Amino acid sequence: METSPAISFSLVLSLITLLLPYFAVSKTFIVVVQHQAKPSIFPTHKHWYESSLRSLSPTATKTENPSDSGETSRIIHTYDTVFHGFSAKLSLSEAKELEALSGIVAVIPEQIRQIQTTRSPEFLGLKTSDSAGLLKESDFGSDFVIGVIDTGIWPERQSFNDRDLGLVPTKWKGACVSGKDFPASSCNRKLIGARYFCDGYEATNGKMNETTEYRSPRDSDGHGTHTASIAAGRYVFPASTLGYARGVAAGMAPKARLAAYKVCWNAGCYDSDILAAFDAAVADGVDVISLSVGGVVVPYYLDAIAIGAFGASDAGVFVSASGGNGGPGGLTVTNVAPWVTTVGAGTIDRDFPADVQLGNGKTIPGVSIYGGPALAPGRLHPLIYAGSEGADGYSSSLCLEGSLDPNVVKNKIVLCDRGINSRAAKGEVVRKAGGIGMILANGVFDGEGLVADCHVLPATAVGAASGDEIRKYITEASKSKSPPTATIVFKGTRVNVKPAPVVASFSARGPNPETPEILKPDVIAPGLNILAAWPDKVGPSGLPSDDRRTEFNILSGTSMACPHVSGLAALLKAAHPEWSPAAIRSALMTTADTVDNQGGTMVDESTGNSSMVFDFGAGYVHPQKAMDPGLIYDINSYEYVDFLCNSNYTTKNIQVVTRKYADCSGARKAGHIGNLNYPSLSAVFQQYGKHRMSTHFIRSVTNVGEPNSVYKVAVKPPSGTLVTVEPEKLVFRRLGQRLSFLVRVKVVAVKLSPGSSTTKSGSVVWSDGKHIVTSPLVVTMQQPL
């Protein structure tokens, strides 16, 4: 359900008050100000902010950051690029008091976010041997800068070498900030900037433990190093993980420059630090921001990522963000603001089979990345289900820490259920209890989607149905004279897999929880079993006990899909410097594929059935087509303001997001929320039979193909609807010309029972014989109880 933007901040604070036992408890708030409202008596905005805080309760908790005056400052960060304001620790009563002061636009509670390749460039059609194409046209992204907001970076990796790169672009204003084990010399002509932001994290958690974390841009987790090299890693050969996925490692934009902004720490990624990174990245001069973190969906005026991303987009910076790993359930997609390109995850044509052979002769397919000593070939081993053996069946079924009895587990293969602790951690629990192998079974919610992990013992992952089959075998065999046995057969790396791509089971799905009229995710990209650079002091499983070391690691998630799109955006920006962030997103969306390498509609990994528009958005990215899309749907910042007006946001709400004053009483609100010039079209009809079951969309397209071209429309209406387009032909006389068209949608043949809903999808396609410009058309009908 869409959250009403009319919710007042006082109501938000009242809800928080109910959740907290004491009204005086302090937490971090982000304070948005009217920049021009600073009284002239204050020499700087920070002096004004300090004075505003001093006017509040004199007994307030203070931070340890010294101010210019030598007094203890309560300010955590100040912001002056993507928006204007500061962050500080406040009690709820102080936050209400501060919001009432002149010049304060909003006081927003901080959220805590969480973090979410040898073959993917080739699978996407980016081949260095091509004499033409996106890589050649963009000079591999040279001189364009990708800012990666994540867990930092391991600069010594060969993926970040600066061999044969030119001088740092003259536009660059960033810095290489030194810190623990990270001298300023860590940067080079490839990694041209590095910063870290921990004040927000420490304001909530106290001083970090520097024995487990680096107070510097250095990556102690691995996630940031991995995502950075996916976006812009250099060519490295040979590359592999524990012998798997051997080949040439390469990012999407191998010559693009990188800037690392570390905001994620052991306890998570804090909004105040994320906003500081956005602020710094735009001021430094990045062209693209890649953000593989996410959290809950809230109205845009309460969403720090949405606010920071708007400021970046307003400055011409493309922002891509991971859609989240909450799939395959619906309404799970995050980072849904329309000025952000939201990325889901799909597969490539490579996997790592590791099959289970049961004592009854059956073979169960699985996947794994295990490079240690294998189980004895040709020998079956005792097999047990952990949930049948422990005192606490629930804990033992999940193989949680301390839940397994070594007397039962020793020298056996253990079947564990997925959930709660990490997949690799379950294997460590089995290993410590004396088990010799593990089979990790999906739950019903996970379906049949499989993720290959770098396990610490012989282990493989199987789907939900396979898990049921193995449990049934264990139960039946245990009752017979032949106890259950099994082994695991590791088959290495397999390529040219079909079908591919497939929508990854974990990839978060629509509809958009905040604005269902904007289809999210926008696109999907490679996100399953992706090989990329990895830190030297982190084992491939990510477990503290894992002392194995590897230069590359294989990970899965929309976190891996997002930097693929970030790198592609840098290539497209290099090939078309005049394109706006919206134009780049449009090119990626209208040229995306919805078919696999067998010619059918992409499959949903969780079910094995055809996937839907809420699973993949516009489709799987196709970089070569995106270089020459023919037409683009462009959007400027004031069109986003109109969108917020039509979302029933107040003038103050809009000012929080955009820094722009908007009078929504007149022409700005003449349209409707679906009329944002987005490359997809989504209509939501409610109370079938009681309200008008028709709507219209107004769209404008800009010619970026041939100077003289004629585009004709082809419509595939969603089932049960009548769709017309006026005009049916667009005649362009020059490049850059912008023409408009009208799409009318009428529901004609859909009946729903009370409390039910249905979604149907189709498309509106423009073509001049050379270019095919496809817009998904989605119609959702809901019948209240």
Side-chain angles (χ1 to χ4, degrees):
M1 180 180 293
E2 182 176 353
T3 305
S4 171
I7 296 175
S8 68
F9 178 70
S10 296
L11 177 58
V12 174
L13 290 181
S14 298
L15 292 173
I16 295 175
T17 304
L18 293 174
L19 297 174
L20 294 175
Y22 300 103
F23 196 72
V25 169
S26 293
K27 66 170 293 178
T28 299
F29 288 85
I30 295 157
V31 184
V32 184
V33 307
Q34 292 177 337
H35 192 62
Q36 67 277 14
K38 177 182 75 66
S40 58
I41 189 174
F42 298 109
T44 68
H45 279 80
K46 187 174 182 181
H47 284 89
W48 174 34
Y49 304 156
E50 295 279 13
S51 176
S52 299
L53 290 173
R54 284 195 296 269
S55 71
L56 305 177
S57 168
T59 60
T61 304
K62 300 185 177 184
T63 69
E64 299 181 6
N65 299 326
S67 70
D68 295 338
S69 63
E71 299 175 357
T72 301
S73 172
R74 303 184 59 194
I75 291 176
I76 298 171
H77 292 293
T78 60
Y79 313 100
D80 57 14
T81 302
V82 294
F83 84 108
H84 300 298
F86 63 96
S87 51
K89 275 290 262 317
L90 304 168
S91 68
L92 298 179
S93 59
E94 289 179 316
K96 284 187 175 181
E97 187 180 345
L98 185 63
E99 191 198 23
L101 296 181
S102 176
I104 304 297
V105 178
V107 184
I108 304 169
E110 178 176 62
Q111 288 190 62
I112 305 171
R113 318 280 179 150
Q114 300 296 328
I115 52 178
Q116 314 268 346
T117 67
T118 52
R119 192 167 178 85
S120 54
E122 180 181 349
F123 185 66
L124 292 173
L126 297 176
K127 299 179 181 178
T128 58
S129 58
D130 289 346
S131 58
L134 185 53
L135 284 175
K136 298 293 185 183
E137 288 290 327
S138 64
D139 189 23
F140 300 80
S142 181
D143 291 346
F144 283 79
V145 185
I146 301 173
V148 180
I149 300 178
D150 212 298
T151 66
I153 197 163
W154 197 268
E156 294 82 8
R157 283 300 177 232
Q158 281 303 303
S159 295
F160 311 126
N161 79 73
D162 64 356
R163 187 171 52 253
D164 300 326
L165 287 181
L167 297 176
V168 173
T170 55
K171 67 175 184 177
W172 181 246
K173 302 180 181 65
C176 193
V177 177
S178 62
K180 183 182 179 184
D181 292 345
F182 198 97
S185 59
S186 300
C187 294
N188 55 21
R189 295 191 305 274
K190 175 66 174 179
L191 178 63
I192 62 174
R195 299 180 185 271
Y196 65 100
F197 304 88
C198 60
D199 289 347
Y201 161 60
E202 292 188 316
T204 297
N205 297 281
K207 289 294 184 182
M208 74 173 67
N209 180 356
E210 295 193 40
T211 65
T212 59
E213 298 191 85
Y214 297 99
R215 186 183 293 278
S216 75
R218 185 168 291 280
D219 184 7
S220 61
D221 177 272
H223 192 270
T225 300
H226 203 266
T227 56
S229 67
I230 291 171
R234 304 300 303 277
Y235 293 102
V236 181
F237 178 83
S240 71
T241 299
L242 307 179
Y244 289 80
R246 292 185 184 275
V248 178
M252 294 295 99
K255 285 188 179 180
R257 314 307 174 104
L258 279 168
Y261 299 87
K262 182 178 177 179
V263 300
C264 295
W265 308 86
N266 286 349
C269 324
Y270 288 74
D271 274 356
S272 55
D273 293 333
I274 292 172
L275 270 175
F278 266 107
D279 213 49
V282 174
D284 287 346
V286 303
D287 299 287
V288 173
I289 288 177
S290 187
L291 181 73
S292 289
V293 303
V296 299
V297 175
V298 295
Y300 305 128
Y301 62 89
L302 294 175
D303 186 344
I305 288 178
I307 294 168
F310 185 93
S313 176
D314 196 32
V317 176
F318 179 91
V319 179
S320 59
S322 53
N325 299 334
L331 286 167
T332 51
V333 65
T334 65
N335 292 322
V336 296
W339 44 88
V340 172
T341 298
T342 310
V343 187
T347 69
I348 59 175
D349 62 342
R350 178 182 67 195
D351 65 9
F352 309 103
D355 298 341
V356 178
Q357 290 185 354
L358 299 177
N360 61 5
K362 289 187 177 181
T363 298
I364 307 295
V367 298
S368 179
I369 302 166
Y370 174 68
L375 298 172
R379 177 184 170 189
L380 296 176
H381 305 271
L383 171 67
I384 62 170
Y385 171 46
S388 301
E389 303 295 340
D392 175 2
Y394 177 72
S395 297
S396 58
S397 69
L398 296 168
C399 295
L400 301 182
E401 184 68 33
S403 66
L404 300 182
D405 183 353
N407 295 320
V408 175
V409 171
K410 188 175 181 180
N411 294 326
K412 295 183 176 69
I413 295 175
V414 181
L415 176 68
C416 301
D417 293 337
R418 187 170 164 182
I420 307 297
N421 56 342
S422 76
R423 299 181 298 271
K426 295 176 188 294
E428 175 71 351
V429 171
V430 171
R431 189 181 66 82
K432 288 197 298 186
I436 60 170
M438 177 184 69
I439 302 168
L440 179 59
N442 282 356
V444 173
F445 181 79
D446 303 306
E448 302 309 307
L450 300 180
V451 178
D453 294 298
C454 294
H455 292 288
V456 295
L457 83 170
T460 189
V462 300
S466 296
D468 290 341
E469 184 174 354
I470 296 172
R471 290 186 203 91
K472 181 180 178 181
Y473 163 67
I474 292 173
T475 300
E476 292 176 350
S478 298
K479 296 176 181 178
S480 70
K481 295 182 179 179
S482 300
T485 57
T487 191
I488 302 171
V489 180
F490 300 93
K491 297 185 175 181
T493 303
R494 181 174 62 174
V495 296
N496 298 314
V497 171
K498 293 183 179 182
V502 168
V503 179
S505 178
F506 58 77
S507 185
R509 317 298 170 96
N512 184 334
E514 178 62 18
T515 313
E517 294 82 1
I518 301 296
L519 178 64
K520 293 287 183 174
D522 293 305
V523 292
I524 63 173
L528 184 74
N529 301 332
I530 304 301
L531 183 136
W534 193 246
D536 196 41
K537 293 189 177 180
V538 183
S541 70
L543 299 173
S545 60
D546 188 356
D547 58 4
R548 296 172 298 177
R549 296 295 177 256
T550 179
E551 186 172 352
F552 295 90
N553 200 8
I554 295 171
L555 299 182
S556 299
T558 56
S559 284
M560 284 64 250
C562 169
H564 278 88
V565 170
S566 306
L568 295 179
L571 295 179
L572 291 171
K573 185 71 172 176
H576 301 283
E578 73 283 3
W579 280 9
S580 69
I584 294 171
R585 177 175 60 243
S586 174
L588 289 166
M589 290 178 67
T590 61
T591 60
D593 285 332
T594 58
V595 298
D596 59 29
N597 55 7
Q598 292 182 319
T601 300
M602 277 190 295
V603 169
D604 181 346
E605 187 188 33
S606 67
T607 63
N609 300 324
S610 294
S611 55
M612 307 291 288
V613 68
F614 287 148
D615 303 331
F616 55 68
Y620 197 91
V621 290
H622 193 301
Q624 301 290 25
K625 291 181 182 178
M627 181 182 68
D628 183 20
L631 304 175
I632 56 173
Y633 293 80
D634 211 352
I635 307 174
N636 63 41
S637 294
Y638 288 97
E639 290 175 275
Y640 289 127
V641 172
D642 294 346
F643 161 80
L644 294 173
C645 278
N646 287 306
S647 301
N648 294 321
Y649 275 37
T650 67
T651 297
K652 197 170 185 180
N653 294 155
I654 295 171
Q655 193 174 11
V656 170
V657 177
T658 70
R659 296 181 296 177
K660 295 171 173 51
Y661 177 81
D663 181 0
C664 294
S665 60
R668 284 194 179 281
K669 206 173 180 180
H672 64 84
I673 193 170
N675 272 345
L676 180 67
N677 198 41
Y678 219 71
S680 55
L681 305 95
S682 178
V684 180
F685 297 110
Q686 295 184 349
Q687 297 184 348
Y688 178 68
K690 298 181 180 179
H691 289 273
R692 182 171 59 92
M693 295 295 287
S694 64
T695 191
H696 70 276
F697 300 93
I698 299 171
R699 290 292 189 269
S700 299
V701 285
T702 303
N703 180 23
V704 295
E706 307 296 333
N708 293 290
S709 53
V710 178
Y711 284 81
K712 296 180 180 179
V713 74
V715 177
K716 181 182 178 182
S719 176
T721 69
L722 176 65
V723 179
T724 59
V725 178
E726 302 173 10
E728 296 181 348
K729 183 168 65 175
L730 298 174
V731 181
F732 293 94
R733 301 302 184 197
R734 57 181 173 82
L735 287 175
Q737 185 178 359
R738 181 165 171 157
L739 297 177
S740 298
F741 60 93
L742 176 71
V743 181
R744 297 185 187 276
V745 181
K746 183 179 181 180
V747 177
V748 293
V750 176
K751 292 185 179 181
L752 299 174
S753 58
S756 65
S757 67
T758 185
T759 296
K760 305 294 182 181
S761 63
S763 61
V764 174
V765 182
W766 292 97
S767 178
D768 64 349
K770 176 183 178 183
H771 305 93
I772 299 175
V773 186
T774 304
S775 291
L777 172 58
V778 188
V779 174
T780 301
M781 288 149 282
Q782 302 170 341
Q783 177 73 339
L785 289 170

